[in-house]
Short mmCIF file of all heavy atoms in Angstrom, two decimals:
data_model
loop_
_atom_site.label_atom_id
_atom_site.label_comp_id
_atom_site.label_asym_id
_atom_site.label_seq_id
_atom_site.Cartn_x
_atom_site.Cartn_y
_atom_site.Cartn_z
N THR V 29 171.71 -123.13 -9.40
CA THR V 29 171.78 -123.71 -10.74
C THR V 29 170.63 -124.67 -11.01
O THR V 29 170.54 -125.24 -12.09
CB THR V 29 173.11 -124.47 -10.94
OG1 THR V 29 173.23 -125.45 -9.90
CG2 THR V 29 174.29 -123.51 -10.88
N ALA V 30 169.76 -124.87 -10.02
CA ALA V 30 168.67 -125.82 -10.14
C ALA V 30 167.51 -125.37 -9.27
O ALA V 30 167.71 -124.59 -8.33
CB ALA V 30 169.13 -127.22 -9.71
N PRO V 31 166.29 -125.84 -9.55
CA PRO V 31 165.15 -125.47 -8.72
C PRO V 31 165.35 -125.79 -7.25
O PRO V 31 164.86 -125.07 -6.37
CB PRO V 31 164.00 -126.29 -9.32
CG PRO V 31 164.41 -126.55 -10.73
CD PRO V 31 165.90 -126.69 -10.70
N SER V 32 166.08 -126.86 -6.94
CA SER V 32 166.28 -127.27 -5.54
C SER V 32 167.13 -126.28 -4.75
O SER V 32 167.24 -126.40 -3.52
CB SER V 32 166.93 -128.65 -5.48
OG SER V 32 168.15 -128.68 -6.20
N ALA V 33 167.72 -125.29 -5.42
CA ALA V 33 168.50 -124.28 -4.70
C ALA V 33 167.62 -123.46 -3.76
O ALA V 33 168.11 -122.93 -2.76
CB ALA V 33 169.22 -123.37 -5.69
N VAL V 34 166.34 -123.34 -4.07
CA VAL V 34 165.43 -122.65 -3.15
C VAL V 34 165.34 -123.43 -1.85
O VAL V 34 165.42 -122.85 -0.75
CB VAL V 34 164.03 -122.49 -3.79
CG1 VAL V 34 163.01 -122.01 -2.75
CG2 VAL V 34 164.09 -121.51 -4.95
N GLN V 35 165.20 -124.75 -1.95
CA GLN V 35 165.16 -125.59 -0.75
C GLN V 35 166.47 -125.49 0.03
O GLN V 35 166.47 -125.46 1.27
CB GLN V 35 164.89 -127.05 -1.14
CG GLN V 35 164.85 -128.03 0.01
CD GLN V 35 163.58 -127.94 0.84
OE1 GLN V 35 162.75 -127.08 0.60
NE2 GLN V 35 163.43 -128.83 1.81
N GLN V 36 167.59 -125.43 -0.70
CA GLN V 36 168.88 -125.28 -0.03
C GLN V 36 168.93 -123.99 0.79
O GLN V 36 169.39 -123.97 1.93
CB GLN V 36 170.02 -125.28 -1.06
CG GLN V 36 170.25 -126.61 -1.75
CD GLN V 36 170.82 -127.64 -0.80
OE1 GLN V 36 170.08 -128.26 -0.05
NE2 GLN V 36 172.11 -127.84 -0.83
N ALA V 37 168.45 -122.89 0.19
CA ALA V 37 168.45 -121.62 0.90
C ALA V 37 167.59 -121.69 2.16
O ALA V 37 167.98 -121.20 3.23
CB ALA V 37 167.95 -120.51 -0.03
N LEU V 38 166.41 -122.30 2.05
CA LEU V 38 165.52 -122.41 3.19
C LEU V 38 166.12 -123.29 4.29
O LEU V 38 165.95 -123.02 5.48
CB LEU V 38 164.17 -122.96 2.75
CG LEU V 38 163.37 -122.04 1.81
CD1 LEU V 38 162.17 -122.79 1.22
CD2 LEU V 38 162.90 -120.79 2.56
N LEU V 39 166.84 -124.33 3.89
CA LEU V 39 167.48 -125.20 4.87
C LEU V 39 168.62 -124.49 5.59
O LEU V 39 168.70 -124.49 6.82
CB LEU V 39 168.00 -126.47 4.19
CG LEU V 39 166.98 -127.57 3.93
CD1 LEU V 39 167.57 -128.63 3.01
CD2 LEU V 39 166.52 -128.21 5.23
N PHE V 40 169.52 -123.86 4.83
CA PHE V 40 170.66 -123.19 5.46
C PHE V 40 170.22 -122.01 6.32
O PHE V 40 170.97 -121.58 7.20
CB PHE V 40 171.67 -122.76 4.39
CG PHE V 40 172.66 -123.83 4.03
CD1 PHE V 40 172.48 -124.61 2.90
CD2 PHE V 40 173.76 -124.07 4.83
CE1 PHE V 40 173.39 -125.60 2.56
CE2 PHE V 40 174.67 -125.05 4.51
CZ PHE V 40 174.49 -125.83 3.37
N ARG V 41 169.01 -121.50 6.08
CA ARG V 41 168.49 -120.42 6.91
C ARG V 41 168.35 -120.85 8.37
O ARG V 41 168.34 -120.01 9.28
CB ARG V 41 167.14 -119.97 6.34
CG ARG V 41 166.43 -118.89 7.13
CD ARG V 41 167.23 -117.59 7.20
NE ARG V 41 166.50 -116.57 7.93
CZ ARG V 41 166.41 -116.48 9.25
NH1 ARG V 41 167.03 -117.39 10.01
NH2 ARG V 41 165.72 -115.51 9.83
N GLN V 42 168.28 -122.16 8.63
CA GLN V 42 168.22 -122.64 10.01
C GLN V 42 169.50 -122.33 10.78
O GLN V 42 169.49 -122.22 12.00
CB GLN V 42 168.00 -124.16 10.04
CG GLN V 42 166.66 -124.60 9.52
CD GLN V 42 166.50 -126.11 9.54
OE1 GLN V 42 165.96 -126.69 8.63
NE2 GLN V 42 166.99 -126.75 10.60
N TRP V 43 170.62 -122.21 10.06
CA TRP V 43 171.91 -122.00 10.70
C TRP V 43 172.38 -120.54 10.64
O TRP V 43 173.26 -120.16 11.38
CB TRP V 43 172.96 -122.90 10.06
CG TRP V 43 172.84 -124.34 10.46
CD1 TRP V 43 173.46 -124.95 11.50
CD2 TRP V 43 172.04 -125.35 9.84
NE1 TRP V 43 173.11 -126.28 11.57
CE2 TRP V 43 172.23 -126.55 10.55
CE3 TRP V 43 171.19 -125.37 8.73
CZ2 TRP V 43 171.60 -127.75 10.21
CZ3 TRP V 43 170.55 -126.55 8.39
CH2 TRP V 43 170.75 -127.72 9.13
N SER V 44 171.82 -119.77 9.71
CA SER V 44 172.26 -118.39 9.57
C SER V 44 171.08 -117.50 9.20
O SER V 44 170.23 -117.88 8.38
CB SER V 44 173.33 -118.28 8.47
OG SER V 44 173.64 -116.92 8.21
N ALA V 45 171.05 -116.32 9.80
CA ALA V 45 169.99 -115.35 9.48
C ALA V 45 170.36 -114.50 8.28
O ALA V 45 169.57 -113.67 7.83
CB ALA V 45 169.74 -114.46 10.69
N ASP V 46 171.57 -114.71 7.73
CA ASP V 46 172.06 -113.91 6.59
C ASP V 46 172.31 -114.83 5.40
O ASP V 46 173.42 -115.31 5.19
CB ASP V 46 173.34 -113.18 7.00
CG ASP V 46 173.80 -112.18 5.94
OD1 ASP V 46 173.23 -112.18 4.83
OD2 ASP V 46 174.74 -111.41 6.22
N VAL V 47 171.24 -115.11 4.65
CA VAL V 47 171.32 -115.99 3.47
C VAL V 47 170.81 -115.23 2.25
O VAL V 47 169.75 -114.59 2.31
CB VAL V 47 170.50 -117.28 3.67
CG1 VAL V 47 170.55 -118.15 2.41
CG2 VAL V 47 171.01 -118.06 4.87
N THR V 48 171.56 -115.30 1.16
CA THR V 48 171.17 -114.67 -0.10
C THR V 48 171.07 -115.72 -1.18
O THR V 48 171.99 -116.54 -1.34
CB THR V 48 172.18 -113.59 -0.52
OG1 THR V 48 172.32 -112.63 0.51
CG2 THR V 48 171.73 -112.89 -1.80
N TRP V 49 169.97 -115.71 -1.92
CA TRP V 49 169.77 -116.63 -3.06
C TRP V 49 170.10 -115.86 -4.33
O TRP V 49 169.49 -114.83 -4.62
CB TRP V 49 168.33 -117.12 -3.08
CG TRP V 49 168.00 -118.14 -4.14
CD1 TRP V 49 168.04 -119.49 -4.04
CD2 TRP V 49 167.54 -117.86 -5.49
NE1 TRP V 49 167.65 -120.09 -5.21
CE2 TRP V 49 167.35 -119.11 -6.12
CE3 TRP V 49 167.30 -116.69 -6.20
CZ2 TRP V 49 166.90 -119.22 -7.44
CZ3 TRP V 49 166.87 -116.80 -7.53
CH2 TRP V 49 166.67 -118.04 -8.13
N VAL V 50 171.09 -116.36 -5.10
CA VAL V 50 171.53 -115.70 -6.34
C VAL V 50 171.16 -116.59 -7.51
O VAL V 50 171.60 -117.75 -7.58
CB VAL V 50 173.04 -115.42 -6.31
CG1 VAL V 50 173.45 -114.65 -7.57
CG2 VAL V 50 173.42 -114.64 -5.06
N GLN V 51 170.41 -116.08 -8.45
CA GLN V 51 169.78 -116.89 -9.49
C GLN V 51 170.77 -117.66 -10.36
O GLN V 51 170.56 -118.83 -10.65
CB GLN V 51 168.90 -116.03 -10.39
CG GLN V 51 168.17 -116.86 -11.44
CD GLN V 51 167.29 -116.02 -12.36
OE1 GLN V 51 167.36 -114.78 -12.34
NE2 GLN V 51 166.45 -116.67 -13.13
N HIS V 52 171.82 -117.05 -10.82
CA HIS V 52 172.78 -117.64 -11.76
C HIS V 52 172.05 -118.31 -12.92
O HIS V 52 171.44 -117.61 -13.72
CB HIS V 52 173.73 -118.59 -11.04
CG HIS V 52 174.93 -118.96 -11.86
ND1 HIS V 52 175.75 -118.01 -12.42
CD2 HIS V 52 175.45 -120.16 -12.24
CE1 HIS V 52 176.71 -118.60 -13.11
NE2 HIS V 52 176.55 -119.91 -13.01
N THR V 53 172.05 -119.65 -13.02
CA THR V 53 171.39 -120.33 -14.15
C THR V 53 170.10 -121.03 -13.75
O THR V 53 169.51 -121.75 -14.58
CB THR V 53 172.35 -121.36 -14.79
OG1 THR V 53 172.72 -122.33 -13.79
CG2 THR V 53 173.60 -120.69 -15.32
N ALA V 54 169.66 -120.89 -12.53
CA ALA V 54 168.44 -121.56 -12.08
C ALA V 54 167.20 -120.84 -12.62
O ALA V 54 167.25 -119.63 -12.91
CB ALA V 54 168.39 -121.59 -10.56
N PRO V 55 166.10 -121.55 -12.75
CA PRO V 55 164.85 -120.87 -13.12
C PRO V 55 164.42 -119.92 -12.01
O PRO V 55 164.71 -120.16 -10.84
CB PRO V 55 163.85 -122.02 -13.31
CG PRO V 55 164.42 -123.15 -12.51
CD PRO V 55 165.91 -123.01 -12.58
N TRP V 56 163.74 -118.84 -12.40
CA TRP V 56 163.27 -117.88 -11.42
C TRP V 56 162.22 -118.55 -10.53
O TRP V 56 161.36 -119.28 -11.02
CB TRP V 56 162.69 -116.66 -12.11
CG TRP V 56 162.32 -115.55 -11.16
CD1 TRP V 56 161.07 -115.12 -10.86
CD2 TRP V 56 163.22 -114.75 -10.40
NE1 TRP V 56 161.13 -114.09 -9.95
CE2 TRP V 56 162.45 -113.84 -9.65
CE3 TRP V 56 164.62 -114.71 -10.26
CZ2 TRP V 56 163.01 -112.91 -8.78
CZ3 TRP V 56 165.17 -113.77 -9.40
CH2 TRP V 56 164.37 -112.89 -8.67
N PRO V 57 162.28 -118.36 -9.23
CA PRO V 57 161.31 -119.01 -8.33
C PRO V 57 159.88 -118.58 -8.64
O PRO V 57 159.63 -117.44 -9.05
CB PRO V 57 161.74 -118.53 -6.94
CG PRO V 57 163.15 -118.08 -7.09
CD PRO V 57 163.27 -117.56 -8.48
N ASP V 58 158.94 -119.51 -8.43
CA ASP V 58 157.54 -119.15 -8.63
C ASP V 58 157.06 -118.31 -7.45
O ASP V 58 157.80 -118.07 -6.48
CB ASP V 58 156.67 -120.40 -8.83
CG ASP V 58 156.71 -121.36 -7.65
OD1 ASP V 58 157.04 -120.93 -6.52
OD2 ASP V 58 156.41 -122.56 -7.85
N ASP V 59 155.83 -117.86 -7.53
CA ASP V 59 155.31 -116.94 -6.51
C ASP V 59 155.34 -117.56 -5.11
O ASP V 59 155.65 -116.88 -4.12
CB ASP V 59 153.88 -116.52 -6.86
CG ASP V 59 153.84 -115.60 -8.08
OD1 ASP V 59 154.91 -115.05 -8.45
OD2 ASP V 59 152.75 -115.44 -8.66
N GLU V 60 155.01 -118.85 -5.02
CA GLU V 60 155.01 -119.50 -3.71
C GLU V 60 156.41 -119.54 -3.12
O GLU V 60 156.61 -119.25 -1.93
CB GLU V 60 154.45 -120.92 -3.83
CG GLU V 60 154.40 -121.66 -2.50
CD GLU V 60 153.88 -123.09 -2.63
OE1 GLU V 60 153.72 -123.57 -3.77
OE2 GLU V 60 153.64 -123.73 -1.59
N ALA V 61 157.40 -119.88 -3.96
CA ALA V 61 158.78 -119.94 -3.48
C ALA V 61 159.28 -118.56 -3.07
O ALA V 61 159.97 -118.41 -2.05
CB ALA V 61 159.69 -120.54 -4.54
N LEU V 62 158.93 -117.54 -3.85
CA LEU V 62 159.33 -116.18 -3.51
C LEU V 62 158.73 -115.75 -2.17
O LEU V 62 159.40 -115.09 -1.37
CB LEU V 62 158.92 -115.22 -4.62
CG LEU V 62 159.73 -115.30 -5.91
CD1 LEU V 62 159.09 -114.44 -6.99
CD2 LEU V 62 161.18 -114.85 -5.67
N GLU V 63 157.49 -116.15 -1.96
CA GLU V 63 156.84 -115.81 -0.69
C GLU V 63 157.56 -116.49 0.47
O GLU V 63 157.77 -115.90 1.55
CB GLU V 63 155.37 -116.22 -0.73
CG GLU V 63 154.61 -115.87 0.55
CD GLU V 63 153.16 -116.32 0.50
OE1 GLU V 63 152.89 -117.40 -0.09
OE2 GLU V 63 152.31 -115.61 1.07
N GLN V 64 157.96 -117.76 0.27
CA GLN V 64 158.66 -118.49 1.32
C GLN V 64 160.02 -117.87 1.62
O GLN V 64 160.40 -117.71 2.79
CB GLN V 64 158.83 -119.95 0.91
CG GLN V 64 157.52 -120.72 0.83
CD GLN V 64 157.71 -122.10 0.21
OE1 GLN V 64 158.74 -122.38 -0.42
NE2 GLN V 64 156.71 -122.95 0.37
N LEU V 65 160.75 -117.50 0.58
CA LEU V 65 162.05 -116.87 0.78
C LEU V 65 161.91 -115.54 1.51
O LEU V 65 162.68 -115.23 2.43
CB LEU V 65 162.74 -116.66 -0.58
CG LEU V 65 163.17 -117.95 -1.31
CD1 LEU V 65 163.53 -117.65 -2.75
CD2 LEU V 65 164.35 -118.61 -0.60
#
């Protein structure tokens, strides 16, 4: 629901190899964020 959800996904990836980011109402990630994900 916010740009910081990308950071949340990257953080939780430390604990699980199975993480999915679902856009819902958040802005679409920029190219750099998409590359990181």
Side-chain angles (χ1 to χ4, degrees):
T29 56
S32 56
V34 170
Q35 179 75 355
Q36 291 291 82
L38 294 169
L39 279 169
F40 274 98
R41 177 62 178 79
Q42 293 178 220
W43 285 268
S44 172
D46 188 351
V47 178
T48 303
W49 184 92
V50 184
Q51 183 180 11
H52 194 53
T53 59
W56 187 249
D58 60 23
D59 290 344
E60 181 182 9
L62 287 172
E63 181 182 35
Q64 292 171 344
L65 292 167

